[in-house]
Amino acid sequence: MPHPDVFSCSKVNDVCLIQYSIYGYWPSLPANAFFLALFVLCAMIQTYQGIRWKTWTYMIALVCGCLIEAVGYIGRVKMHHNPYSDLGFKMQICCLIMGPAFLAAGIYLTLKHLVKAFGRQYSWLRPKWYTWIFIGCDVFSLTLQAVGGGLASSAAGKPGQLNAGNNVAITGIIIQVVTLVIFATLAIIYFSRRYQHEASQEVLDSQLQTVRFKSFCAAIIVAFLTIFTRCVYRIAEMKGGWGNPLMQNQREFIALDSVMSSIAAVALTIFHPGYCFPQMAVPLRSGNSKQSVMVEQKGPEYSSESLDVDVERAGKTPKP
């Protein structure tokens, strides 16, 4: 019997078998319900932490990312009950493609504040440019992913449009991967230059030695690696076209997309900058002229800008 047109099927029956659907399997209810609950929980905690520590931009990025992921898993839960669900497919294809871009935005925001805290003189770029460049690239890649997901989700009975949407989404994810690589490269260069100047350590070593700050840096690295892994997997998954063997492997999707995105969200939630990196938590306040940078003792009111001023006052600016 010839395969039916996947877009002509509305539910699994004697003609529209499960293996003829785009994913070729029944999405796991326990797994998708778990990830749905996890992302909702992370969004709630991020909202509380953002209000508590006033990390507004970071909060917006992470809460949006978690909620978009949650909507995607609602779509997959709907597809568990009906693998041919048009609404479920649209929800999960759009949201699960876009969600990690918002999590990546949270990572990009940290470098600006790290540069301010530990010496902007070691950076090739002004701190504000890290935000403008990487968030700009992230928005561009997100736009392409959204357009691609939209084309794919509305391509009922139009294979050409489905493939076009797939290609646009892949392009967006590739740009996201390139942006992540450039971000990591600039971060490595910055900290390499800083550590080459031993004099700078005398002023700022106390901050570098705190357990909270080290945990925050470890969380950023873990989140970066997991999002990067997820993006590479998505490129390979979508490059083969709709219904390819990799796309129809649920275990690999859970391991390389769901788990990777979840680890990133959890790491960025548990090790929140509000209490791990207080310089990122509040705006600049006047009157901070003390040269001590014991963050554990000073608390969040000691901003990253004041730390940068301390380095300059200490006369530790490296020679060009």
Side-chain angles (χ1 to χ4, degrees):
M1 183 173 60
H3 292 185
D5 180 1
V6 65
F7 295 107
S8 67
C9 296
S10 59
K11 62 180 180 179
V12 176
N13 53 40
D14 293 339
V15 176
C16 299
L17 304 179
I18 181 63
Q19 59 264 34
Y20 298 155
S21 64
I22 288 180
Y23 292 111
Y25 58 76
W26 297 88
S28 170
L29 181 59
N32 290 296
F34 169 78
F35 291 118
L36 167 59
L38 180 63
F39 281 111
V40 169
L41 178 61
C42 286
M44 294 172 63
I45 296 175
Q46 284 286 348
T47 300
Y48 167 77
Q49 292 175 325
I51 295 172
R52 168 68 177 83
W53 301 106
K54 298 181 176 62
T55 51
W56 306 118
T57 309
Y58 187 85
M59 179 189 73
I60 291 172
L62 270 295
V63 170
C64 285
C66 290
L67 290 180
I68 290 172
E69 288 277 347
V71 173
Y73 284 101
I74 292 175
R76 289 187 68 83
V77 168
K78 289 181 68 66
M79 291 187 72
H80 164 79
H81 298 290
N82 179 11
Y84 287 102
S85 171
D86 182 59
L87 178 59
F89 174 75
K90 290 179 179 179
M91 292 172 65
Q92 66 91 33
I93 193 62
C94 291
C95 294
L96 296 186
I97 287 178
M98 296 189 300
F102 286 90
L103 301 181
I107 297 175
Y108 298 147
L109 290 169
T110 62
L111 187 54
K112 164 189 170 181
H113 294 278
L114 289 170
V115 169
K116 284 184 176 181
F118 300 116
R120 59 186 80 188
Q121 65 269 34
Y122 308 108
S123 174
W124 285 352
L125 300 175
R126 292 183 179 182
K128 66 178 182 180
W129 285 110
Y130 288 106
T131 299
W132 286 107
I133 291 173
F134 291 109
I135 296 299
C137 291
D138 203 46
V139 169
F140 180 57
S141 72
L142 180 62
T143 301
L144 290 178
Q145 292 175 53
V147 171
L151 287 172
S153 64
S154 60
K158 303 175 183 177
Q161 181 177 327
L162 184 65
N163 292 329
N166 184 62
N167 292 333
V168 172
I170 290 176
T171 302
I173 298 174
I174 290 174
I175 292 175
Q176 186 178 352
V177 168
V178 172
T179 303
L180 285 167
V181 170
I182 296 174
F183 173 84
T185 301
L186 289 178
I188 291 171
I189 290 174
Y190 171 77
F191 284 105
S192 296
R193 293 186 69 195
R194 184 185 179 281
Y195 287 129
Q196 287 174 2
H197 299 279
E198 296 182 0
S200 65
Q201 310 294 329
E202 298 175 9
V203 177
L204 298 172
D205 261 353
S206 56
Q207 166 68 359
L208 292 174
Q209 295 304 318
T210 60
V211 174
R212 289 183 181 181
F213 178 74
K214 290 181 178 180
S215 299
F216 172 73
C217 290
I220 293 297
I221 293 172
V222 168
F224 172 88
L225 292 175
T226 52
I227 292 176
F228 185 84
T229 300
R230 174 265 173 194
C231 289
V232 173
Y233 160 74
R234 273 294 195 171
I235 292 172
E237 180 210 32
M238 300 182 70
K239 188 177 180 180
W242 297 96
N244 71 78
L246 183 58
M247 185 175 286
Q248 293 191 340
N249 190 317
Q250 182 169 207
R251 291 183 179 179
E252 291 186 3
F253 174 83
I254 291 175
L256 297 175
D257 189 295
S258 302
V259 172
M260 294 297 103
S261 297
S262 297
I263 291 175
V266 170
L268 295 174
T269 299
I270 293 178
F271 301 101
H272 192 274
Y275 48 86
C276 291
F277 185 40
Q279 293 89 336
M280 189 174 169
V282 292
L284 174 64
R285 296 185 181 183
S286 61
N288 287 326
S289 59
K290 296 182 179 181
Q291 293 187 6
S292 172
V293 290
M294 293 293 291
V295 175
E296 297 293 335
Q297 298 176 7
K298 291 293 181 183
E301 69 272 12
Y302 208 69
S303 70
S304 58
E305 285 85 352
S306 64
L307 282 170
D308 207 19
V309 170
D310 286 339
V311 176
E312 295 174 0
R313 289 177 175 173
K316 303 303 181 180
T317 302
K319 297 180 180 180

